[in-house]
Amino acid sequence: MPKKFFADKIYFSKFGHFVSIITAMIKILTGRLVFVRLTMLTAMTCLIAIGIITIYASGNPENVSGSGAFSASWKKQAVFVLIGLLAFVLVNRTDYRRLGPASYWIYGGVLAALALLLVGKVVNLRPFVPVINGTCRWFRFGTTERYVQVQPSEFCKIAYILALAWYLRFRRNYRKFSGLIGPFVLTLLAMVLILFEPDLGTVLLMMPILFSMLFVAGAKVKHLLFVVLMAVAVSPMLWYKMNLYQRQRISCVLLQSAAVRNKLKESPHLAKILTGKEHFSETQWLHGRGWQLRNSKSAIASGRLTGYGFGKGPYLKYDYLPARHNDFIFAIIAHQWGFWGSLLLLFLYVVIIGCGVEIAYLNTDAFARLISVGIIAMLCVQVLVNVSMTLGLMPITGLTLPLVSYGGSSLVVSMMAIGLLNNIGRRRPFSVARKAFETKP
Amino acid sequence: MYKRRLLVFIFIFIVAGLVCIGRLAYLQLVVGDEYRSRLEEMRILGPMQLPTIRGSIFDRSGNVLAVDKPAFYLYLNYELTKFLDDSFWRGRILDLQRLGQTAEEAEANLRKEFEANLDLLWEIIDKCSEMGRMERSDIEARIFRINDRIWNMRRFFAWLGKFGDSPLRDKYNAKGQAVPVAEALKDFENRLPDPDERLGLTMGVDLEVMHQAQQLMELETESELLRAQLEFVDTDMVEILARAKRFYPYGPAASQVIGWVGPARSSDKELFANDRLRRYLDNELSGKDGVERVCEVVLRGRRGEVIYDIDSELVSRSETQFGKDVRISLDIKLQKEIESHLNDPNFNASYGSAIGAVVIDVATSDILALVSMPVYDLNTIRSDYERVRDSPGAPLVNKAIYEIYPPGSSIKPIVLIAGLEEEKITPDEVISCPFEEAPRAWPSCWLFREGGCHDWSWAEDGGNNARNAIRGSCNIYFSRLADRLAPAALQRWLYNFGYGREILPAPVFDAKWGQSGAGLRNLSQSAGQISTSIPRGGPKRLEEYPRISKYDMRMFGIGQSGMRATVLQVANAMAAIARGGIYKNPRLFLNDEFVLSDSRQDLGISQGTLEVVRDGMSAVVNERGGTAYPAFDHKELRRMDLNVFGKTGSTEGEVNAWFAGFAEDAAGRVVSVAVVVEGGQSGAKDAAPLARDIITLCNRAGYVGQKPDK
């Protein structure tokens, strides 16, 4: 009798490990919506591949000082992909429904980790909690030379989606204004902790996720709009609460226009509001806060229709664009492959999101629907914000381009998110019951 | 509702996505070309400047008067010199204190950390002082100066970064000027009284100059250079660099004429404001005085430029255009000999006095010597400037063309020409110079003060007529004669002879030099004065001179009152007489590129007048009773087979002694000479012997008369 090949049993040999992982991977492809999920996974694979080769290209140009520092990043990213793959498999090994009851615990665990980071900000926990550029976003494991860094705020996103979905799944009270308090408190818990790290990008990502999930779950639009208007109303006060560099990043978007820059030169008052200094020097601006955006736009625009080609172009060869292998990787892709390449990249995201929508659309389980919508919102907002900031449509935030940007936590979380979509897709319930949220209570 | 809301939700993201794609399309498809071409421009690095090589200055025989020579300097990087800077230590200690260390701990830690650097610095200072030319303390002082300069720059930029919006900045920016460092630093202290805060900000400033080598000392001799190369071959942060250095082979000779070079100031920078490659860079030199300054446009040269792109590939290269050489009319050897002679107390009874002397070759009107004593060494003037400026005799002032003196009796030949030509007197008319006090408002004769009178002197010799009046320099004769002349007529004659105007023409450069404004530069010369007062700004034409009063006319006749002239004017007037009444401007600049207008002018003096004046001037030198006869009764002169004509002058009030004249030989070669001795009591005793010796030196140089047998 041959051994049961698809058993959950683990074989205690190296080959056995390998075989068991492969079998598990194949197994997670089985189930419902195979075509949709396969399409989604293909797009994901393509994006990851584009990411790795672009990281390779941006870290290995000839004769460029400073490139050596991240010339091996592509290898690390490849390792992260393997870890991400493992996480992907793990997420798919359990039924997503079994994650529900555990979701508060998971969220609580992540919140605890975030709180620990904040402790690290006050009490010296180095090297476990390193301070990098004045922020405490990472846990560091390993020795001084060889270490792994984990960014809990990335994992928070997915834990938050799970917890919120679990919280909202059978409720009806969010159709009242008071019913929104619960979800907001749940959100603010994480937001406040992350805000103090600080990691403004992730904070800003959580609100769209919350709104998307509430909106799809059926919260009243007027309530949501009221909250948005309130936020808009208090934003001028928040302006002065922000750090100078954060204000300057926002000003960057306005200061792309020469007319605004000229206006600032004439009006010290306006200059003080936008840049924090009464005397506005255009040269200083362009070489200071404006540098990144100016070069990002230049990298993208100079790609023109077809780009410079793989591994070519001044922005690969010279160190003009800081963070070109992570936050600004889209600029490098547009630089290398031009308009067509950028469109292809965006198309791959559209494919993933489209498949995600298909999975959410056809599902009848409230928990599944909410998770799917949360994940779709997370991916969409991340892609849009990241691409917009490289194009100068939005202020520069630390949001990465999912699956493509360099960074382990971000990649693993994105793969886990897509893994969850896969999990939900393959277990779409056969149901003839009334569909959740379809009728008014 | 769920599905509808899901679709609305997706629709919102689709719209946002389309906005992004629209923006992407705009950037890449509409303005992409523009961005790409801008990127191409960015690839090209800033130009590297090749050094400017200044043209040389030559004398009429091709002797080099000024030349750029390579010089070697020892440079020390600020990364090392900063360890002798207290501010640096204080700043670093402050940094460590902020991290929780006490001041003592911090200092101890820093001493430990930088021990090797400090040791290296001391070792370098030791080695430099062992070379023997500079004391240890001098070397340290230089390092302190380097440190202070850079530290002040850092403080300035710290101020700029923190208080860039200061009204001080607006004040100077409105005038198009940079804020003076001293004012900025004061403002810094006022606005930020806490020294620690200022220190912290200053420490945060990083400038390019902080990573560059700074000039410490010159390696003057070959052995110093070799020794430094051997000593520092393996030492980091020490470099030996070559730079062009201006060298004046004749040192002090003709120092006021040749001039010198110094760092270009903002006023110099306007000169080539429109030419990127000629415009002065920081620390570049420009002519400060003399020919160096006048001919800056020609001498300057144009630096080369090399442009590389970011891949170190050559984009363009323009070669350095060497500055063009300038040739001047001086004979540097004659000049040097005259200077040495005047500087020798054995020959010069007026040794130590300020002296101006000019020698002009009459045929060409070339200035052969333009002497101004005392002189200064052109090779050391930059370091010695203040001492030279304040030393007695004002060496920086050119006594030959800038300082003005009352010409005294040296003017009498011109007054006589005016009188004869205006027919106010005949050659034979005698004007009595009796042994008596002159009437009120008339000058007395100098001879009366010495117990004589010209009526007695020339009783047997035709009386006090024209030739004798010159021969005996009679004040009565010339004041009476001047009294007969109309002021305008006398002024016209003086003016035509070159008095009362700047006669050394500025070299107007050929159009190809481009800089029209630069052509107006000239040696600092004076116009002198042919009236008792002059209008503000100085008269530009004869008609602008105010008329001379009746009383002053009598004094003008003997070269006194408001009459002023430069030595060059007097020598050039003598040249005009020697030329038979043909006036020419003197010539200093010989290059073909210089467009010199033809100044030749026939003054229309009759032969008879010229003969009378020449006869009188000859008698001054060659006949008993002539004021300069004692000085010129010299066997050396007889050997030269020369005819010497001259006129002495002794001015009252501001005491100066003059001799002016010319010497001609049988071949028709003529040199004119004028000498003034500041503080000299008598032209006959103080100036005439010097003029005689200068004529002798001209003879030895081969300009006039029989050359002595070797």
Side-chain angles (χ1 to χ4, degrees):
Chain A
M1 187 73 187
K3 277 187 179 170
K4 204 175 154 194
F5 208 71
F6 292 108
D8 288 338
K9 197 172 171 184
I10 292 168
Y11 295 92
F12 293 100
S13 68
K14 275 189 181 172
F15 181 70
H17 276 297
F18 183 70
V19 168
S20 64
I21 289 170
I22 296 294
T23 51
M25 284 173 72
I26 292 170
K27 194 179 165 190
I28 60 178
L29 296 178
T30 60
R32 306 196 65 196
L33 291 172
V34 175
F35 176 74
V36 170
R37 287 183 295 119
L38 275 180
T39 311
M40 182 173 73
L41 297 187
T42 310
M44 179 184 84
T45 314
C46 290
L47 284 169
I48 291 171
I50 289 173
I52 290 180
I53 60 173
T54 308
I55 293 164
Y56 170 80
S58 58
N60 295 278
E62 291 166 25
N63 311 324
V64 181
S65 59
S67 66
F70 51 99
S71 63
S73 298
W74 70 277
K75 290 181 197 160
K76 285 194 199 164
Q77 184 77 348
V79 174
F80 295 145
V81 171
L82 292 179
I83 297 169
L85 217 53
L86 212 64
F88 186 91
V89 172
L90 277 175
V91 164
N92 278 283
R93 274 185 72 87
T94 29
D95 190 328
Y96 72 92
R97 278 163 293 216
R98 284 169 64 188
L99 288 173
S103 61
Y104 289 155
W105 291 105
I106 297 171
Y107 190 48
V110 174
L111 288 181
L114 290 172
L116 189 60
L117 280 183
L118 287 189
V119 172
K121 210 165 181 189
V122 184
V123 187
N124 189 354
L125 291 181
R126 271 167 279 177
F128 180 57
V129 180
V131 182
I132 299 171
N133 297 331
T135 61
C136 287
R137 296 182 190 171
W138 294 272
F139 288 122
R140 186 179 282 185
F141 305 101
T143 61
T144 336
E145 285 79 31
R146 299 184 75 83
Y147 54 80
V148 178
Q149 290 193 157
V150 178
Q151 192 177 353
S153 58
E154 286 288 341
F155 291 92
C156 180
K157 293 188 279 198
I158 216 151
Y160 165 72
I161 290 170
L162 281 176
L164 188 64
W166 189 248
Y167 177 85
L168 290 176
R169 72 194 188 286
F170 291 132
R171 286 174 205 268
R172 287 284 179 267
N173 62 351
Y174 45 73
R175 293 200 55 84
K176 291 183 197 147
F177 192 70
S178 59
L180 296 180
I181 294 171
F184 270 94
V185 168
L186 205 65
T187 313
L188 285 173
L189 276 175
M191 268 179 75
V192 170
L193 288 172
I194 298 173
L195 195 63
F196 281 107
E197 282 183 8
D199 181 359
L200 203 62
T202 309
V203 170
L204 291 177
L205 179 62
M206 295 184 81
M207 274 293 154
I209 295 175
L210 172 68
F211 274 70
S212 307
M213 288 170 74
L214 283 173
F215 175 73
V216 171
K220 285 195 169 166
V221 175
K222 62 180 178 187
H223 292 159
L224 296 179
L225 276 178
F226 178 75
V227 177
V228 172
L229 286 175
M230 286 269 287
V232 170
V234 297
S235 59
M237 283 194 287
L238 283 177
W239 178 257
Y240 287 105
K241 292 280 167 207
M242 274 193 265
N243 285 331
L244 181 62
Y245 83 91
Q246 290 167 334
R247 272 187 277 159
Q248 287 177 337
R249 280 184 174 182
I250 297 171
S251 309
C252 273
V253 180
L254 296 172
L255 287 166
Q256 291 176 83
S257 147
V260 177
R261 290 201 296 269
N262 288 336
K263 188 86 193 156
L264 250 58
K265 279 185 224 162
E266 290 159 17
S267 161
H269 181 65
L270 194 64
K272 178 91 182 163
I273 293 175
L274 288 181
T275 67
K277 282 183 178 177
E278 281 180 9
H279 179 79
F280 175 74
S281 155
E282 189 161 349
T283 324
Q284 266 182 18
W285 182 261
L286 291 176
H287 285 91
R289 288 278 169 214
W291 174 264
Q292 185 99 29
L293 179 54
R294 190 165 65 119
N295 280 298
S296 159
K297 271 166 65 187
S298 170
I300 293 169
S302 60
R304 299 196 295 196
L305 190 64
T306 53
Y308 280 91
F310 173 65
K312 292 180 187 148
Y315 278 94
L316 285 161
K317 199 160 181 191
Y318 313 114
D319 206 8
Y320 291 149
L321 184 65
R324 61 182 174 188
H325 68 315
N326 46 37
D327 294 5
F328 283 83
I329 199 161
F330 179 74
I332 292 300
I333 288 168
H335 189 61
Q336 288 186 111
W337 291 303
F339 186 64
W340 292 131
S342 315
L343 276 191
L344 176 71
L345 183 93
L346 294 178
F347 173 73
L348 291 172
Y349 283 112
V350 169
V351 168
I352 291 178
I353 288 157
C355 294
V357 171
E358 177 78 356
I359 288 164
Y361 192 79
L362 298 175
N363 212 307
T364 48
D365 175 14
F367 184 50
R369 283 180 166 187
L370 286 168
I371 295 175
S372 312
V373 168
I375 289 172
I376 293 165
M378 179 183 92
L379 292 175
C380 277
V381 171
Q382 257 186 277
V383 172
L384 286 172
V385 169
N386 183 279
V387 171
S388 300
M389 85 183 187
T390 60
L391 289 168
L393 289 172
M394 283 186 82
I396 294 172
T397 58
L399 276 189
T400 52
L401 193 60
L403 302 170
V404 179
S405 282
Y406 173 79
S409 301
S410 158
L411 180 74
V412 170
V413 167
S414 301
M415 288 179 80
M416 277 168 78
I418 293 172
L420 263 174
L421 283 181
N422 182 68
N423 192 336
I424 292 164
R426 69 190 276 241
R427 294 195 172 85
R428 189 171 66 133
F430 297 92
S431 174
V432 287
R434 197 189 69 183
K435 289 164 186 149
F437 323 125
E438 284 302 279
T439 49
K440 285 182 184 175
Chain B
M1 188 172 73
Y2 162 73
K3 288 190 174 173
R4 205 180 68 234
R5 286 214 165 178
L6 188 63
L7 291 177
V8 171
F9 157 77
I10 287 303
F11 177 75
I12 293 169
F13 284 119
I14 288 173
V15 171
L18 286 176
V19 171
C20 280
I21 291 172
R23 171 79 172 169
L24 186 69
Y26 169 76
L27 281 177
Q28 292 194 306
L29 307 181
V30 181
V31 293
D33 289 343
E34 199 183 302
Y35 274 92
R36 193 174 270 205
S37 54
R38 223 182 292 163
L39 262 184
E40 284 303 311
E41 286 166 22
M42 268 170 71
R43 288 184 70 237
I44 295 169
L45 299 177
M48 276 166 55
Q49 310 287 322
L50 302 174
T52 318
I53 308 287
R54 204 173 165 80
S56 302
I57 302 175
F58 294 102
D59 82 342
R60 63 187 298 111
S61 319
N63 295 307
V64 180
L65 307 183
V67 66
D68 268 9
K69 275 176 65 172
F72 296 88
Y73 297 87
L74 191 76
Y75 279 73
L76 208 54
N77 202 302
Y78 176 74
E79 303 264 15
L80 201 58
T81 62
K82 71 180 179 193
F83 292 110
L84 272 192
D85 192 351
D86 276 348
S87 309
F88 163 78
W89 288 100
R90 276 190 284 119
R92 291 302 300 262
I93 289 170
L94 195 72
D95 282 349
L96 293 184
Q97 279 178 305
R98 285 194 181 130
L99 294 177
Q101 299 187 8
T102 66
E104 291 74 26
E105 279 171 9
E107 188 171 354
N109 287 340
L110 288 171
R111 293 268 165 209
K112 207 166 152 193
E113 187 181 345
F114 297 124
E115 197 181 355
N117 303 68
L118 255 178
D119 286 348
L120 177 63
L121 185 57
W122 289 126
E123 193 187 321
I124 291 168
I125 293 172
D126 284 342
K127 284 180 178 172
C128 289
S129 68
E130 278 164 21
M131 285 187 204
R133 214 161 39 74
M134 275 173 81
E135 292 289 321
R136 239 187 110 85
S137 56
D138 291 340
I139 297 169
E140 280 172 29
R142 286 206 180 177
I143 291 177
F144 292 149
R145 274 212 295 278
I146 292 169
N147 287 339
D148 287 350
R149 185 169 53 85
I150 294 176
W151 184 255
N152 279 340
M153 277 165 76
R154 290 176 77 182
R155 282 167 68 201
F156 178 82
F157 280 100
W159 168 81
L160 202 63
K162 178 85 178 167
F163 304 113
D165 49 357
S166 158
L168 196 63
R169 202 162 159 219
D170 297 337
K171 183 179 136 193
Y172 281 95
N173 283 359
K175 291 189 227 163
Q177 297 170 346
V179 183
V181 175
E183 275 191 53
L185 297 186
K186 209 168 162 197
D187 190 58
F188 198 21
E189 282 171 26
N190 291 340
R191 283 163 173 257
L192 206 64
D194 181 2
D196 283 355
E197 268 187 71
R198 288 202 305 273
L199 192 64
L201 280 179
T202 309
M203 286 300 280
V205 174
D206 191 21
L207 301 174
E208 200 181 347
V209 68
M210 292 162 58
H211 310 285
Q212 290 171 344
Q214 310 294 321
Q215 186 179 317
L216 184 68
M217 61 189 281
E218 188 183 346
L219 303 166
E220 285 187 5
T221 61
E222 293 247 338
S223 65
E224 269 180 6
L225 176 62
L226 191 66
R227 181 161 179 185
Q229 280 170 335
L230 290 173
E231 293 276 17
F232 299 119
V233 65
D234 289 332
T235 316
D236 280 347
M237 310 215 191
V238 180
E239 288 174 75
I240 294 167
L241 298 175
R243 272 176 50 187
K245 187 188 177 191
R246 199 67 168 163
F247 177 63
Y248 300 94
Y250 290 90
S255 45
Q256 295 92 344
V257 181
I258 298 168
W260 44 286
V261 291
R265 300 237 169 81
S266 50
S267 54
D268 299 313
K269 289 180 180 173
E270 288 164 17
L271 194 58
F272 304 113
N274 301 325
D275 189 339
R276 196 170 48 81
L277 293 177
R278 298 183 84 191
R279 205 182 297 156
Y280 298 99
L281 303 176
D282 288 342
N283 291 331
E284 273 201 313
L285 302 178
S286 83
K288 291 282 129 190
D289 194 21
V291 177
E292 290 275 29
R293 181 177 162 277
V294 175
C295 296
E296 182 65 18
V297 173
V298 182
L299 290 166
R300 162 96 178 123
R302 200 156 188 270
R303 63 179 162 269
E305 190 178 68
V306 189
I307 299 175
Y308 289 101
D309 71 6
I310 202 160
D311 298 320
S312 307
E313 278 172 24
L314 189 67
V315 176
S316 72
R317 180 184 175 99
S318 56
E319 293 299 334
T320 295
Q321 290 172 18
F322 291 172
K324 211 167 157 47
D325 299 335
V326 167
R327 205 157 67 85
I328 58 175
S329 64
L330 295 190
D331 179 332
I332 196 67
K333 289 185 176 157
L334 175 65
Q335 170 100 14
K336 194 175 163 64
E337 286 200 32
I338 295 174
E339 285 175 6
S340 313
H341 190 82
L342 296 179
N343 225 0
D344 189 339
N346 294 319
F347 296 110
N348 180 7
S350 309
Y351 169 76
S353 305
I355 297 173
V358 174
V359 179
I360 294 175
D361 178 48
V362 170
T364 57
S365 78
D366 284 356
I367 302 170
L368 298 176
L370 201 67
V371 179
S372 170
M373 301 295 287
V375 288
Y376 53 86
D377 191 342
L378 291 172
N379 290 315
T380 55
I381 179 66
R382 274 176 70 189
S383 54
D384 240 9
Y385 180 80
E386 283 177 14
R387 188 189 61 75
V388 171
R389 184 192 60 198
D390 301 332
S391 59
L396 294 177
V397 178
N398 193 327
K399 310 293 182 303
I401 57 171
Y402 186 74
E403 193 65 87
I404 50 174
Y405 305 94
S409 302
S410 71
I411 203 71
K412 286 171 182 170
I414 314 294
V415 178
L416 181 60
I417 289 173
L420 290 168
E421 288 298 306
E422 298 291 323
E423 296 178 350
K424 300 294 179 194
I425 202 162
T426 60
D428 298 326
E429 185 185 335
V430 170
I431 294 178
S432 172
C433 172
F435 184 69
E436 62 185 40
E437 188 76 45
R440 250 174 73 86
W442 289 89
S444 298
C445 194
W446 64 272
L447 196 53
F448 173 71
R449 289 196 295 272
E450 290 185 3
C453 73
H454 286 110
D455 282 356
W456 296 348
S457 303
W458 319 125
E460 306 292 315
D461 207 356
N464 196 26
N465 60 11
R467 83 177 291 271
N468 286 338
I470 292 277
R471 177 183 176 193
S473 193
C474 180
N475 286 353
I476 306 295
Y477 184 95
F478 283 100
S479 57
R480 300 266 175 195
L481 175 57
D483 190 50
R484 294 180 194 178
L485 279 164
L490 179 63
Q491 283 175 319
R492 191 182 69 245
W493 278 103
L494 290 170
Y495 196 81
N496 287 346
F497 268 100
Y499 291 92
R501 57 187 165 116
E502 294 183 356
I503 56 169
L504 185 66
V508 179
F509 303 118
D510 214 85
K512 72 174 172 184
W513 296 103
Q515 309 289 331
S516 55
L520 301 175
R521 276 191 175 186
N522 200 353
L523 292 183
S524 300
Q525 62 176 322
S526 298
Q529 197 173 311
I530 51 171
S531 59
T532 36
S533 63
I534 52 168
R536 191 183 290 271
K540 300 280 178 286
R541 291 175 302 128
L542 172 62
E543 294 73 30
E544 290 171 18
Y545 269 103
R547 290 289 162 251
I548 310 167
S549 72
K550 194 81 182 151
Y551 168 75
D552 284 319
M553 277 299 281
R554 298 166 191 165
M555 301 306 286
F556 265 65
I558 58 169
Q560 303 275 359
S561 182
M563 174 96 199
R564 294 288 182 278
T566 65
V567 184
L568 180 67
Q569 284 172 332
V570 174
N572 197 49
M574 291 299 134
I577 295 172
R579 233 177 260 125
I582 308 292
Y583 176 83
K584 273 171 147 185
N585 279 338
R587 187 168 74 154
L588 183 66
F589 302 98
L590 299 185
N591 287 42
D592 296 336
E593 294 85 358
F594 302 155
V595 187
L596 295 177
S597 58
D598 186 15
S599 59
R600 187 189 150 89
Q601 187 195 352
D602 188 343
L603 301 179
I605 304 167
S606 69
Q607 203 53 43
T609 301
L610 279 170
E611 271 170 23
V612 172
V613 173
R614 286 168 68 97
D615 186 26
M617 288 175 69
S618 175
V620 168
V621 177
N622 300 311
E623 292 179 22
R624 280 183 200 285
T627 49
Y629 178 72
F632 278 83
D633 180 20
H634 204 275
K635 64 172 194 281
E636 176 80 6
L637 278 173
R638 288 192 282 278
R639 174 199 58 74
M640 290 183 235
D641 193 17
L642 280 178
N643 288 327
V644 181
F645 304 82
K647 182 73 198 75
T648 55
S650 315
T651 62
E652 294 161 30
E654 294 170 64
V655 189
N656 297 301
W658 279 94
F659 181 88
F662 51 92
E664 60 182 30
D665 63 12
R669 294 185 300 171
V670 194
V671 291
S672 75
V673 176
V675 180
V676 70
V677 179
E678 279 185 26
Q681 300 295 320
S682 146
K685 291 192 189 116
D686 295 320
L690 298 179
R692 176 200 65 213
D693 296 342
I694 289 171
I695 290 170
T696 312
L697 291 171
C698 289
N699 168 261
R700 287 187 197 155
Y703 287 104
V704 73
Q706 294 259 311
K707 276 194 100 172
D709 298 328
K710 293 232 167 121

